[in-house]
Amino acid sequence: MNTSNLIAAISKHITLDEEEVSFFISVLLPVKIRQGEMVEKPGDTSKYFVHVVSGCLMSYYTDKTGIDHVIQFAQAGWWTGDLPSFTKQIPAIYSTRALTDSEVLLLPKTGMDDVLGKYLKFERYFRILFQNSLETHQNRLIQNLSSTAEERYLAFGKKYPSLEQFVPQKYIASYLGITPEFLSKIRRKLMEK
Amino acid sequence: MNTSNLIAAISKHITLDEEEVSFFISVLLPVKIRQGEMVEKPGDTSKYFVHVVSGCLMSYYTDKTGIDHVIQFAQAGWWTGDLPSFTKQIPAIYSTRALTDSEVLLLPKTGMDDVLGKYLKFERYFRILFQNSLETHQNRLIQNLSSTAEERYLAFGKKYPSLEQFVPQKYIASYLGITPEFLSKIRRKLMEK
DNA sequence: TCCTTTTCTTAATCCAGTTCAAGTGCTATG
DNA sequence: CATAGCACTTGAACTGGATTAAGAAAAGGA
């Protein structure tokens, strides 16, 4: 499977020599996933941090009443998974599933520890990765607090135009924090305009 | 001002020698802030990442209708500030203000760049810092999506018991994503039980 | 192909939380 | 010690979005 896009992304932040590149690649597990397949499920301890090469995954939390809440849609080039479960090796609370047939590179916990132990500079890449993700989450938090569902839907469509094409609407509703019924209502209202 | 707690916190994740410690301390600016004073305001580019030594700060977003949304309360030992503004040197969208008289250590952007450039191992500390903060934000996002205001209030009280003592209720309401009026009603309902 | 299952829509009703408006209590400052 | 200004409370009216229940339209799957 193709690792060059990931290496290119990392190389935007740190300069790698051949040895570092090949060591990093050597700890990755390339895996193909069918649409609908679970990569990770709640209760299990997460073994991998998941990098999407092609396709699209989503991770979500299922609450006590059985309702799913989408945390993230992960397209090509994104990392996903249950971070607390992965880093602390505790039971996962999120599920991660493929929305389309996908190719992923799995970074095992021990592999990440080895890479970071051996080549400290990878710390910078992950620092920047988490920093950016934190900013994204802060923005989303604020948007949830300060905008209506309609505004959030419009913003979502603008930010992730490609997702709207193939992600079932009920998951988009879940990501936005509303019911599928209400999203349907919003869409009709916008069509009529 | 006392830097030993910060150094101790960092030393939980990386081992520092004397030179590294003293260089890191040398880039920090110790500052005392009065209750109510602004550390950072929207529009300005953030010059510092802020570490709280004592007291309590909060950072918040003011939306287009003038309503404040609290992103974070930062107590002793926490870092705060407008992260996108700090890292990318773009205009801030958050305000940061002292809720009590406080002592902070300011880490200037150039200081952080110097530290990370000179001693790569500090990358690990910040990677873990952002990783933990990301996990906290994911949890909060999920809680906002899956719990009622009352449940969120109770969870808040359990997680940050000390804050409830001195943080004005309107800011707690803002953090919870509800109006002060509704928080007042929740509190009365809980008292009556 | 037909049948089953899942997704999406529509509409009626309901409720958690908002808005508005008025009143209470505290404390800061002259 | 007066008064002005916040923080907080209360209550009534309202609304954004949930719930429930039904039907229509897609999407598998044998």
Side-chain angles (χ1 to χ4, degrees):
Chain A
M1 194 180 299
N2 196 342
T3 56
S4 61
N5 286 338
L6 174 54
I7 297 301
I10 297 176
S11 300
K12 277 187 189 152
H13 300 111
I14 54 179
T15 307
L16 298 175
D17 63 30
E18 264 178 50
E19 183 196 330
E20 290 154 348
V21 168
S22 63
F23 185 81
F24 184 68
I25 290 176
S26 77
V27 303
L28 295 171
L29 274 69
V31 172
K32 290 185 190 225
I33 310 164
R34 287 277 166 72
Q35 178 170 4
E37 211 176 307
M38 282 275 207
V39 178
E40 215 165 273
K41 59 179 213 286
D44 295 359
T45 295
S46 173
K47 292 195 199 58
Y48 310 108
F49 198 32
V50 181
H51 181 81
V52 183
V53 174
S54 70
C56 184
L57 315 197
M58 71 174 207
S59 57
Y60 58 97
Y61 168 73
T62 306
D63 70 24
K64 51 198 177 297
T65 67
I67 296 171
D68 291 342
H69 303 275
V70 175
I71 294 152
Q72 192 195 36
F73 296 111
Q75 292 176 281
W78 294 50
W79 288 93
T80 192
D82 184 314
L83 197 55
S85 175
F86 176 72
T87 58
K88 294 174 196 141
Q89 293 292 289
I90 54 175
I93 56 168
Y94 305 152
S95 309
T96 300
R97 263 190 22 201
L99 286 173
T100 65
D101 289 351
S102 304
E103 298 173 301
V104 299
L105 293 165
L106 300 179
L107 173 59
K109 176 68 164 85
T110 51
M112 177 153 165
D113 290 344
D114 289 350
V115 167
L116 293 177
K118 207 161 169 183
Y119 306 109
L120 203 49
K121 65 166 79 159
F122 280 91
E123 290 284 1
R124 174 167 299 167
Y125 169 69
F126 286 105
R127 188 261 298 169
I128 293 169
L129 183 74
F130 292 140
Q131 182 182 296
N132 289 337
S133 184
L134 173 59
E135 292 175 10
T136 302
H137 276 77
Q138 282 192 342
N139 286 335
R140 191 170 160 207
L141 192 62
I142 282 171
Q143 222 185 18
N144 282 348
L145 295 175
S146 65
S147 322
T148 63
E150 183 175 328
E151 288 167 335
R152 263 141 53 208
Y153 174 60
L154 290 170
F156 176 84
K158 212 164 249 176
K159 193 157 186 193
Y160 305 107
S162 59
L163 285 180
E164 270 203 285
Q165 317 298 319
F166 67 90
V167 175
Q169 278 175 41
K170 61 173 192 165
Y171 296 134
I172 295 178
S174 166
Y175 180 91
L176 296 174
I178 58 176
T179 56
E181 291 88 345
F182 192 60
L183 177 56
S184 194
K185 219 183 260 185
I186 289 172
R187 283 167 54 84
R188 181 162 61 124
K189 196 184 144 203
L190 291 172
M191 297 290 257
E192 281 167 1
K193 279 185 181 166
Chain B
M1 196 179 299
N2 196 342
T3 55
S4 60
N5 286 338
L6 175 53
I7 298 301
I10 297 175
S11 301
K12 276 187 189 153
H13 300 112
I14 54 179
T15 306
L16 299 175
D17 64 30
E18 263 179 51
E19 184 196 329
E20 290 154 348
V21 168
S22 64
F23 185 80
F24 184 69
I25 290 176
S26 78
V27 303
L28 297 171
L29 275 68
V31 172
K32 289 184 194 229
I33 311 162
R34 288 278 167 72
Q35 178 171 4
E37 211 176 305
M38 282 277 208
V39 178
E40 215 165 274
K41 60 179 213 282
D44 295 359
T45 296
S46 173
K47 291 195 200 59
Y48 310 108
F49 197 32
V50 181
H51 181 80
V52 183
V53 174
S54 69
C56 184
L57 314 198
M58 70 174 208
S59 56
Y60 57 97
Y61 169 73
T62 305
D63 70 25
K64 50 198 178 297
T65 68
I67 295 171
D68 292 341
H69 303 275
V70 175
I71 295 151
Q72 192 196 36
F73 296 111
Q75 293 177 282
W78 293 51
W79 288 93
T80 193
D82 184 312
L83 198 56
S85 175
F86 177 72
T87 59
K88 294 174 196 140
Q89 293 291 290
I90 56 176
I93 57 169
Y94 304 152
S95 308
T96 301
R97 262 190 24 201
L99 286 173
T100 65
D101 290 352
S102 305
E103 298 174 300
V104 301
L105 294 166
L106 301 177
L107 173 60
K109 176 69 163 88
T110 51
M112 177 153 165
D113 290 345
D114 290 349
V115 167
L116 293 177
K118 207 163 170 185
Y119 306 110
L120 203 48
K121 64 167 80 162
F122 279 91
E123 290 284 3
R124 174 166 301 166
Y125 170 69
F126 286 104
R127 189 259 298 169
I128 294 170
L129 184 73
F130 292 140
Q131 182 182 296
N132 289 336
S133 184
L134 174 58
E135 293 176 9
T136 302
H137 276 77
Q138 283 192 342
N139 286 336
R140 191 170 161 205
L141 192 62
I142 283 171
Q143 221 185 19
N144 283 348
L145 295 176
S146 65
S147 323
T148 63
E150 183 176 326
E151 289 167 335
R152 262 141 52 210
Y153 174 60
L154 289 170
F156 176 84
K158 212 164 248 177
K159 192 157 184 191
Y160 305 107
S162 59
L163 285 179
E164 270 204 283
Q165 317 299 316
F166 67 90
V167 175
Q169 279 176 39
K170 60 174 192 166
Y171 297 133
I172 295 179
S174 166
Y175 180 91
L176 296 174
I178 58 177
T179 57
E181 291 89 341
F182 192 59
L183 177 56
S184 194
K185 270 167 215 178
I186 289 172
R187 285 167 52 83
R188 181 163 61 125
K189 196 184 143 203
L190 292 171
M191 297 289 256
E192 281 168 2
K193 281 185 181 166

